[in-house]
Amino acid sequence: MKILIIGGVAGGATSAARLRRLDEKNSIILFEKGAYISYANCGLPYYIGGVIEEREKLFVQSAEEFGTRYGIDVRVNTEVLSIHPEEKLVKAKNLITGETYEETYDKLILSPGADPIVPPLPGIKSEGIFTIRNVTDTDYIKEYISTKNVQKAIVVGAGFIGLEMAENLQMRGVKVTIVEKAPHVLPPLDEEMAAFVKKELEANNVRVITSQSAVAFKDEGRTIVLEDGSELSSGLTILSVGVTPENRLAQSAKIELGLRGGILVDENYETSQKDIYAVGDAIVVKNQITGEDALISLASPANRQGRQ
């Protein structure tokens, strides 16, 4: 059997390793658009802050080590352009050489992850405004802080990643302000619990502004305009306002989508297209308490899905 996996890290790489353990004879090809297939997403802010001192410690395995260990054809810097379920093939492009080619499959696993939300605000594409999704983003931010001698930073969004970035920027000696649209930090928490988080942030000299959102960026991104008309100056801005499922390939394959564009799967993680499966941040899951559809963009569920 020939199995193609699109996307590495928690969902895709775990699926590949599990499939190899289950059967030593299957042909497995793993496509990854970036240069890295197995790294600690949750550690990225802590590398910026210096808690993780060595960049190499972000990586679980290199693509070469992973491929050799599990007998998997790992193709990094390769973007899958489209999926064609009728012919059971994909079209892929080597981003280094520019070569475009086709690859057939018996089974296909989608693990495209999620993209950071970048709202269409004036000036948002200015230099010094970043999102953080992968190692490359982390390298850019870390280099920018050093070369530009950043002294002040704004973090837009007080979710998990936003607070981790605020913590680590503060540890680097950067004066940090958090801007959150919700009435309190960590919106998934009750207000009473979030109050303790805010108190701890302020005790560590992090300024917290709630019930406000950024509406524009001026002066090449160095000035952030809030909805009440007030302005904040910044040498660096981190956008952490949530993520959206990366569903472009699913759409090209006419796979059914659900909540906020997430990929719909059954109890076996099979999509509406036969022999195409999906795991990770891009899929719609069921909240085990309420039974409602949900999107859970975390590594631990993606790992468990990959193992199943």
Side-chain angles (χ1 to χ4, degrees), residues 1-4 83 85 88 105-110 255 269-278:
M1 182 182 295
K2 184 177 181 181
I3 304 169
L4 305 186
I83 302 170
K88 300 192 80 169
Y105 66 85
D106 296 307
K107 304 284 186 181
L108 174 68
I109 299 175
L110 277 169
I255 290 171
Y269 298 102
E270 188 169 15
T271 70
S272 59
Q273 292 284 11
K274 183 175 173 55
D275 295 326
I276 298 181
Y277 301 79

Side-chain angles (χ1 to χ4, degrees), residues 53-104:
E53 297 180 358
E54 299 176 22
R55 185 175 183 272
E56 289 70 27
K57 289 189 175 180
L58 291 172
F59 302 101
V60 181
Q61 284 185 320
S62 69
E64 183 177 352
E65 291 169 340
F66 185 82
T68 300
R69 179 178 180 181
Y70 293 104
I72 293 168
D73 183 354
V74 180
R75 303 179 187 179
V76 294
N77 298 306
T78 301
E79 179 181 8
V80 174
L81 303 175
S82 59
I83 302 170
H84 302 271
E86 300 83 4
E87 297 91 343
K88 300 192 80 169
L89 64 83
V90 304
K91 293 183 179 180
K93 180 179 181 180
N94 185 313
L95 299 178
I96 303 299
T97 65
E99 175 195 5
T100 301
Y101 60 93
E102 296 180 350
E103 198 73 60
T104 60

Side-chain angles (χ1 to χ4, degrees), residues 246-283:
E246 175 33 279
N247 61 15
R248 179 184 57 82
L249 285 173
Q251 287 182 312
S252 80
K254 298 181 180 178
I255 290 171
E256 290 185 14
L257 305 178
L259 178 68
R260 287 165 37 202
I263 300 170
L264 292 175
V265 296
D266 63 16
E267 65 276 10
N268 297 313
Y269 298 102
E270 188 169 15
T271 70
S272 59
Q273 292 284 11
K274 183 175 173 55
D275 295 326
I276 298 181
Y277 301 79
V279 296
D281 294 354
I283 71 170

Side-chain angles (χ1 to χ4, degrees), residues 5 25 30 57 75 151 226 241 253 265 299:
I5 301 173
K25 297 180 180 179
L30 173 61
K57 289 189 175 180
R75 303 179 187 179
Q151 300 296 312
L226 302 184
V241 295
V265 296

Side-chain angles (χ1 to χ4, degrees), residues 130-200:
F130 297 91
T131 58
I132 180 167
R133 181 190 184 190
N134 51 40
V135 176
T136 302
D137 295 336
T138 307
D139 290 337
Y140 286 146
I141 294 169
K142 193 174 178 72
E143 181 183 11
Y144 190 88
I145 293 170
S146 299
T147 57
K148 300 294 184 180
N149 190 28
V150 172
Q151 300 296 312
K152 293 194 294 184
I154 305 293
V155 177
V156 182
F160 296 117
I161 299 301
L163 294 190
E164 289 178 354
M165 283 302 305
E167 175 190 9
N168 283 279
L169 289 169
Q170 190 274 339
M171 285 193 294
R172 286 190 61 121
V174 178
K175 186 173 178 58
V176 180
T177 298
I178 295 175
V179 177
E180 169 57 52
K181 173 67 173 175
H184 57 78
V185 299
L186 282 180
L189 296 185
D190 292 336
E191 187 172 357
E192 293 83 359
M193 297 174 66
F196 291 100
V197 179
K198 180 182 179 183
K199 183 178 179 180
E200 184 67 18

